[in-house]
Amino acid sequence: MNRLTLTLLSFLLFPIASIAHGPTPQKAKESITINAPVDTTWNAIKQFDDIASWHPDVKASSGDGKNASDGTRTITLKNGGQLVENLDFYSDKDHEYNYRLKTENVTAFPASSYTINIQVTAGADANTSVVTLKSRFYRGDTGNTPPESLNDAAAVKAMNEFFKTGLAGLKQKLEK
């Protein structure tokens, strides 16, 4: 009898457990070709705390000046919200760095956490470069029934728009 009860309970609880899982990680990836050599493009983005110089959605940025693990920056977005980010990996040689959200601010950006990689690679010829931004992130509200402004779709849309606007701003700056 105990075995039958246990089997019945497992069938009853299984659907509840499958519904009550948390959010799934989302991904975004955008690339752009810029008519500038790799070193020129890298020099425009390599200073971690200077994103405001090329990203149109960033009103201001400041940091500790470290281009190494544990470097920190604070960005103020055009909407007035601030995000604090930490540098996890930096390679001048590979023209690449990775960073993550340190302090969540879902009123500024609808993601509760994210990691972002930015890399510059050679384009089709010596006078072009390709900049790629990619991210893994979670929606702003990680509960089971998030409001529309903090759900997966809102987070994906915000991340893709942030990437596209940033890459377009970098291209515009370098191709003047």
Side-chain angles (χ1 to χ4, degrees), residues 32-45:
I32 197 164
T33 299
I34 296 177
N35 293 319
V38 170
D39 287 338
T40 301
T41 302
W42 176 243
N43 284 335
I45 66 168

Side-chain angles (χ1 to χ4, degrees), residues 75-89:
I75 64 172
T76 302
L77 301 172
K78 293 284 182 180
N79 66 16
Q82 289 191 327
L83 300 171
V84 179
E85 300 169 328
N86 266 52
L87 194 56
D88 290 326
F89 169 80

Side-chain angles (χ1 to χ4, degrees), residues 25-104:
Q26 303 299 307
K27 293 181 181 178
K29 182 178 179 182
E30 294 290 336
S31 294
I32 197 164
T33 299
I34 296 177
N35 293 319
V38 170
D39 287 338
T40 301
T41 302
W42 176 243
N43 284 335
I45 66 168
K46 72 180 188 176
Q47 187 60 41
F48 179 61
D49 57 11
D50 194 30
I51 187 173
S53 71
W54 57 271
H55 199 303
D57 286 346
V58 178
K59 183 173 157 183
S61 59
S62 62
D64 58 12
K66 280 176 57 176
N67 284 338
S69 292
D70 292 327
T72 301
R73 75 178 175 198
T74 299
I75 64 172
T76 302
L77 301 172
K78 293 284 182 180
N79 66 16
Q82 289 191 327
L83 300 171
V84 179
E85 300 169 328
N86 266 52
L87 194 56
D88 290 326
F89 169 80
Y90 186 92
S91 175
D92 204 26
K93 177 183 162 244
D94 296 322
H95 308 109
E96 172 182 24
Y97 56 86
N98 301 325
Y99 61 96
R100 64 185 155 78
L101 180 64
K102 180 179 179 183
T103 306
E104 174 182 309

Side-chain angles (χ1 to χ4, degrees), residues 73-150:
R73 75 178 175 198
T74 299
I75 64 172
T76 302
L77 301 172
K78 293 284 182 180
N79 66 16
Q82 289 191 327
L83 300 171
V84 179
E85 300 169 328
N86 266 52
L87 194 56
D88 290 326
F89 169 80
Y90 186 92
S91 175
D92 204 26
K93 177 183 162 244
D94 296 322
H95 308 109
E96 172 182 24
Y97 56 86
N98 301 325
Y99 61 96
R100 64 185 155 78
L101 180 64
K102 180 179 179 183
T103 306
E104 174 182 309
N105 182 353
V106 297
T107 58
F109 197 82
S112 61
S113 68
Y114 57 74
T115 57
I116 295 176
N117 170 270
I118 187 166
Q119 185 172 28
V120 181
T121 55
D125 62 58
N127 292 319
T128 62
S129 54
V130 177
V131 181
T132 302
L133 280 163
K134 57 186 173 182
S135 180
R136 184 175 184 270
F137 53 95
Y138 287 92
R139 66 183 179 230
D141 183 332
T142 57
N144 288 332
T145 54
E148 197 171 305
S149 63
L150 298 175

